[in-house]
Amino acid sequence: MDTLKTKDYEVFEAIQKEMKRQSEGIELIASENYVSKSVLEAMGTVLTNKYSEGYPGKRYYEGNIIIDEIENLAIERAKSLFSAEHVNIQPLSGSPANAAVYLATLNPGDKVLGLSLDHGGHLSHGHPVNFSGILFDFIKYEVEKNNYLIDMDKVEEIALKEKPKMIIAGFSAYSRALDWKRFKNIATKIDAITFADISHIAGLIAGKQIENPVPLFDIVSTTTHKTLRGPRGAIIMCKQKYAQSIDKAVFPGMQGGPHDHINAAKAVAFKEALQPEFVNYANQVIVNAKKLCNELQNYGFNIISGGTDNHLMLIDLSNKNITGKKATHILELGGISTNMNMIPYDKRSPMDPSGLRIGTPAVTTRGMKEKEMVVIARWIKDIIDNPNNTDIQKKVKSEVKELCSVYKVPGI
């Protein structure tokens, strides 16, 4: 970065400050992670100079022989990683990938069944303010009030009554395993398309800790960051019968030329995820999440659904007399990054909800294990139970910095 330092010191200085923030703080945002130095290096290459609309062997520009090699390599690695029949690695991010799936399979106004956002779903699964909810007739399934779990009998009841063209299985704030086979069986009864959005758990699936829906479902999308530890981007996997329509929907339907430097970084991340040590990583993410969850419960925190089967947990802060927004603010003052989140049946607004969503992918990447989860839980308790005590916040921030000096961020 020496050239950047001399040519544009303002940007260089901002990057340095962000590197310091990441290095000295605890990252508990469930959708964030750290990429390896190799992934970072692949992103910062001359591949960003190339324009390559189209697909390998079928480009609208010349000079794409090497780009084709890289894209084909990424495709084959993704196929191996997820046992996929067809993979499109060009989507620029998660929501555009989902938009391409809808474009390939639905007509405006078609009926789709998905998990409600305030019950753990995602904006692109039919929220009224999102393009998905504006263009398509989304009906929702929800979690139960008594246990905050998805009742698959009720999902089937809704599906048989409404007969949606597509059923979506996926989430952004649900801490339990999904019953992929039951979703598929329900869809088969009404001849619906099965679409899984595994953006949050792709790394846990690649790491063989969570059942893989790719061989079962018609179409599966995922971001390549989060638990997969790749660059910010996405891919779409599908059965061969949907391959042509998916490819056409991505290009020219949704976007122009792909980001070739990011595709190279995806290839690097896929190779990393194919290594035996990634299985150990994925396992430790879940072990850490369960430990952190248990420790917080011991301090009186109310965990939605009572626990976790994956990398995240959703905390109802109502009994702590603090809102999600306030909690995230004071935790950040203590060097701990989290995000506020709606809880199911929340009586508060999305901009100041009752919940806090936390996860363990990033701290696990740094090498932290169960004993560090015990310490992190205590820090969270100390800060939230004493929301106006700035001395505690400063003390925790100092202790966080000390711990982070031992567990380094990759690539920094």
Side-chain angles (χ1 to χ4, degrees), residues 158-350:
I158 296 169
L160 293 176
K161 178 184 176 182
E162 299 287 346
K163 293 182 172 54
K165 187 174 180 180
M166 172 184 283
I167 298 178
I168 302 177
F171 56 82
S172 64
Y174 185 70
S175 63
R176 296 302 188 176
L178 296 183
D179 190 342
W180 307 119
K181 291 185 177 66
R182 186 71 187 278
F183 274 110
K184 182 64 177 179
N185 290 339
I186 293 169
T188 299
K189 291 181 180 180
I190 58 172
D191 195 29
I193 298 166
T194 48
F195 172 35
D197 182 343
I198 61 170
S199 293
H200 261 274
I201 54 174
L204 306 181
I205 292 169
K208 301 177 173 37
Q209 303 304 308
I210 290 180
E211 186 180 2
N212 182 12
V214 175
L216 194 64
F217 272 48
D218 296 313
I219 304 169
V220 177
S221 73
T222 182
T223 51
T224 47
H225 40 291
K226 301 186 177 79
T227 53
L228 197 52
R229 293 201 301 198
R232 298 193 67 85
I235 62 173
I236 302 172
M237 299 169 279
C238 65
K239 298 295 186 186
Q240 197 60 45
K241 65 177 286 190
Y242 293 99
Q244 186 174 354
S245 58
I246 288 292
D247 287 352
K248 185 177 179 181
V250 173
F251 172 81
M254 277 298 301
Q255 59 192 52
H259 295 173
D260 296 314
H261 58 306
I262 299 298
N263 288 346
K266 290 176 186 178
V268 173
F270 298 154
K271 182 175 181 179
E272 292 176 350
L274 283 164
Q275 305 310 308
E277 52 265 33
F278 194 84
V279 174
N280 298 332
Y281 165 73
N283 174 259
Q284 191 65 50
V285 167
I286 297 176
V287 169
N288 283 350
K290 289 180 180 292
K291 183 63 176 178
L292 182 58
C293 181
N294 290 339
E295 291 296 313
L296 289 171
Q297 287 174 316
N298 290 338
Y299 288 128
F301 286 90
N302 180 17
I303 307 296
I304 294 295
S305 84
T308 182
D309 298 323
N310 54 38
H311 63 300
L312 65 82
M313 65 208 75
L314 188 59
I315 306 171
D316 178 2
L317 293 169
S318 301
N319 68 324
K320 294 290 186 177
N321 297 314
I322 190 172
T323 69
K325 184 175 183 179
K326 173 71 172 179
T328 58
H329 175 66
I330 59 176
L331 283 168
E332 185 165 35
L333 292 176
I336 300 172
S337 295
T338 60
N339 70 272
M340 62 182 180
N341 211 98
M342 294 280 282
I343 62 170
Y345 308 101
D346 204 333
K347 295 179 181 179
R348 301 188 62 83
S349 74

Side-chain angles (χ1 to χ4, degrees), residues 93 151 315 344:
S93 197
D151 184 336
I315 306 171

